[in-house]
Amino acid sequence: QVQFVESGGGLVQPGSSLRLSCAASGNIFRDNVVAWFRQDPGKRRELLARATRGGLTDYADSVAGRFTISRDDAKNTAYLQMKSLKPEDTAVYYCNTDPVVLDNSGYLEVWGQGTLVNVSS
């Protein structure tokens, strides 16, 4: 079963920067599009950024120009560099592939525990 371990979140002031990391088990990132998501309690999970093996990236309008996704397939690790953070960026951040990984049943999505980013003055 694939596992994702996100880290790097914390409490920061508006305008600050953070770098999130995501370690994945196995080689799940190697053959897939890597993606970062976030979820605010009571809201739907939002796709923020994607990166292909070839280096193509795209971003949600809400984070374009402020967030940068990258990947290190040799380390099965993905990163999300965030700058100019705003209070509305407060959420739990998750990594996955796009499309997201399903468990062995083929029905349930596999997610890590996420990492909390809290942007507050």
Side-chain angles (χ1 to χ4, degrees), residues 3-20:
Q3 291 183 322
F4 300 102
V5 179
E6 299 90 350
S7 62
L11 173 61
V12 296
Q13 293 187 337
S16 299
S17 298
L18 274 178
R19 187 191 193 210
L20 306 184

Side-chain angles (χ1 to χ4, degrees), residues 2-108:
V2 174
Q3 291 183 322
F4 300 102
V5 179
E6 299 90 350
S7 62
L11 173 61
V12 296
Q13 293 187 337
S16 299
S17 298
L18 274 178
R19 187 191 193 210
L20 306 184
S21 299
C22 170
S25 61
N27 294 316
I28 189 65
F29 283 160
R30 184 184 62 191
D31 299 322
N32 291 283
V33 174
V34 173
W36 280 93
F37 302 77
R38 69 184 178 192
Q39 187 170 24
D40 207 7
K43 296 184 179 179
R44 292 187 64 179
R45 193 166 283 160
E46 176 187 10
L47 172 61
L48 299 178
R50 297 181 299 181
T52 69
R53 288 183 59 193
L56 296 177
T57 58
D58 61 12
Y59 298 90
D61 290 343
S62 57
V63 304
R66 299 188 298 121
F67 290 12
T68 302
I69 186 173
S70 60
R71 55 190 289 169
D72 185 338
D73 291 346
K75 296 181 179 180
N76 297 311
T77 301
Y79 304 95
L80 187 68
Q81 179 68 49
M82 308 185 295
K83 65 178 183 179
S84 302
L85 284 164
K86 306 175 182 180
E88 51 264 45
D89 294 319
T90 295
V92 179
Y93 285 69
Y94 303 88
C95 66
N96 212 304
T97 58
D98 183 33
V100 299
V101 174
L102 300 179
D103 71 356
N104 293 334
S105 74
Y107 293 99
L108 297 177

